[in-house]
Amino acid sequence: MDLVLLEETLRERGEPAFRARQVWEWTARGAPGYDAMTNLPRALRAELASAVRFSTLAVETERESRDGTVKTLFRTADGHPVEAVLMRYRDGRRSLCLSSQSGCPLTCTFCATGTMAFGRNLTASEILDQALHFRRLTEVDHAVFMGMGEPMLNLDEVLTAARRLPDLGITHRRTTVSTVGWLPGLRRFVDEVDEPIRLALSLHAPDDELRSRIMPVNERYPVADIVAECRRQAEATRRRVFVEYVMLAGVNDAPEQARALAALLGRDHFKVNLIPYNPWAASAGGQATGARPNTPPTAAGGLYEGSSRERIAAFRHELERARVPVTVRLTRGRDIEAACGQLAAAPRVRRRSAPGSTPAPARPQALSAPRSRT
Ligand code: SAH
């Protein structure tokens, strides 16, 4: 629901100030439409139904995984695709994975979203409408900004949305904003966010040489700077920053890389989340996986192979020996391409160029994200 339009519409009608709050409270608690808002005059309900669309997003498709994970593809009013995921866990947790942008201007080589065309930043209402969609299906209690897009490139809208999530049942402590380490936004997050919203850093490599190879954004904001900024956050909030580390066979999963990671992070400020790599596109179905298991990638991320269980366990063991807190993330919704890094609404527009081919089309100037070097 476009909350700005809602307030304008109510004001123009001369409605009392509490009306907008009434409408929001119903909506946040999962009401299916204006008609359910029984403390609003009937005529007003009808008028709102025609003046303010109940959701800014239209559901295009929805798939449910064997494990209960639900992935929904939405369209914005101007046609941009947006995906979001509901994860239901055995212990009762209901966690939402929300998108902050349609597509993503960054080109992390292992992430499917980076291969689709970048659309635009989402508004706070478009972000909230993803959450509200699932709130109408079930109660929810956790949210992660780990869907499409880089939240720090759209920080104001992300925060406006995150600040309303408690009304849906998701407290700030159970809300996590995840970033590649886009420094301007990250600095603002550290300086300006007073709420106990959690921060996660997608690191994926312990040094600049490797990180730049798998995440071109690292050319712009190197490891030392982003880790320092996250350490500042951990010190200011006295809570650990999560470090996400997707396990790519033969690329970043060696024991010595675990030791380098431990030395980089230290014991006190971070908690590492090892993420099993989720194949997508060319590699989903297994054809291309393992094409070059022990060579670093040169082009599209569909060529990666996930680290074996043993390799992940050994990596974890090294971190534990160095007393760095570490967990291995459960993968959910793989069978419906709803797992981490798999969100890329069709049609897939591949704009990552293979060596020797024509370069990818230019990205929006305002964002001026670094290009992939491959
Ligand atoms: N741009 C933000 C938000 C997206 S989060 C960020 O990068 O943090 C998406 C998370 O899933 C990130 O940690 C990302 O690195 C991880 N991811 C991306 N592709 C993946 C894949 N194929 N398998 C597993 N995790 C992946």
Side-chain angles (χ1 to χ4, degrees):
M1 175 184 303
D2 183 334
L3 295 166
V4 177
L5 179 64
L6 173 72
E7 287 191 10
E8 269 171 23
T9 307
L10 291 170
R11 200 175 324 116
E12 274 165 20
R13 270 189 50 116
E15 289 292 332
F18 61 80
R19 286 284 185 233
R21 198 174 60 242
Q22 279 180 322
V23 172
W24 170 250
E25 278 169 4
W26 279 104
T27 308
R29 276 188 257 121
Y34 293 109
D35 250 354
M37 304 181 183
T38 47
N39 57 355
L40 261 61
R42 199 180 293 269
L44 177 61
R45 285 184 251 160
E47 210 165 304
L48 286 177
S50 62
V52 186
R53 282 201 294 173
F54 193 60
S55 176
T56 59
L57 302 176
V59 173
E60 189 160 301
T61 54
E62 191 155 77
R63 295 170 74 191
E64 181 159 350
S65 160
R66 285 190 294 271
D67 63 23
T69 300
V70 179
K71 177 172 80 163
T72 307
L73 168 63
F74 304 92
R75 292 262 166 202
T76 62
D78 56 345
H80 290 290
V82 176
E83 285 186 325
V85 179
L86 163 70
M87 288 157 288
R88 297 184 264 208
Y89 294 90
R90 287 232 182 97
D91 63 5
R93 259 184 312 144
R94 301 275 184 276
S95 187
L96 302 179
C97 180
L98 304 176
S99 292
S100 56
Q101 302 180 308
S102 174
C104 185
L106 305 180
T107 52
C108 302
T109 55
F110 45 80
C111 179
T113 308
T115 65
M116 64 182 282
F118 174 64
R120 62 165 169 80
N121 281 341
L122 300 179
T123 65
S125 296
E126 288 165 340
I127 295 169
L128 278 171
D129 275 327
Q130 299 165 48
L132 288 167
H133 170 76
F134 294 114
R135 179 64 190 85
R136 292 191 276 276
L137 298 179
T138 177
E139 304 215 327
V140 290
D141 51 24
H142 285 73
V144 292
F145 283 86
M146 295 188 189
M148 291 175 169
E150 168 51 43
M152 297 302 175
L153 286 168
N154 189 21
L155 186 57
D156 289 321
E157 300 299 309
V158 164
L159 289 176
T160 300
R163 288 183 171 125
R164 284 198 185 240
L165 287 177
D167 298 334
L168 280 70
I170 303 168
T171 63
H172 293 321
R173 286 175 201 282
R174 292 172 167 186
T175 301
T176 302
V177 174
S178 179
T179 179
V180 298
W182 188 268
L183 261 190
L186 178 54
R187 280 205 187 100
R188 276 193 54 211
F189 186 95
V190 177
D191 287 333
E192 294 172 22
V193 176
D194 294 326
E195 296 85 355
I197 297 172
R198 302 211 71 149
L199 178 65
L201 175 68
S202 292
L203 190 59
H204 310 309
D207 62 81
D208 283 318
E209 194 272 320
L210 176 60
R211 192 165 190 268
S212 292
R213 214 155 10 113
I214 64 178
M215 300 174 71
V217 66
N218 191 69
E219 304 257 292
R220 189 166 184 144
Y221 302 119
V223 171
D225 294 358
I226 61 176
V227 168
E229 198 57 27
C230 289
R231 184 165 276 128
R232 198 161 74 83
Q233 167 76 0
E235 280 167 352
T237 61
R238 305 199 177 186
R239 279 172 345 129
R240 291 175 190 273
V241 170
F242 298 124
V243 165
E244 288 155 279
Y245 197 99
V246 57
M247 299 294 290
L248 305 172
V251 176
N252 66 356
D253 65 345
E256 56 270 26
Q257 287 165 318
R259 290 192 288 274
L261 184 64
L264 173 71
L265 299 178
R267 298 176 181 183
D268 299 330
H269 298 127
F270 297 94
K271 177 179 175 183
V272 177
N273 248 313
L274 301 179
I275 311 175
Y277 171 66
N278 293 304
W280 45 268
S283 62
Q287 310 103 331
T289 51
R292 275 171 300 164
N294 294 311
T295 341
T298 51
L303 293 175
Y304 288 106
E305 186 182 29
S307 307
S308 67
R309 279 228 204 128
E310 297 70 35
R311 197 83 166 156
I312 296 177
F315 198 94
R316 173 190 189 146
H317 180 70
E318 287 296 334
L319 290 171
E320 283 170 344
R321 261 182 16 147
R323 306 256 186 286
V324 177
V326 54
T327 54
V328 178
R329 184 179 291 171
L330 272 178
T331 279
R332 313 278 301 180
R334 257 198 196 198
D335 55 325
I336 56 165
E337 296 190 348
C340 277
Q342 291 188 324
L343 301 189
R348 289 211 172 98
V349 182
R350 298 202 74 109
R351 53 186 179 70
R352 196 170 284 145
S353 51
S357 72
T358 43
R363 274 184 221 107
Q365 209 57 50
L367 299 167
S368 57
R371 294 278 184 99
S372 162
R373 287 184 308 165
T374 52

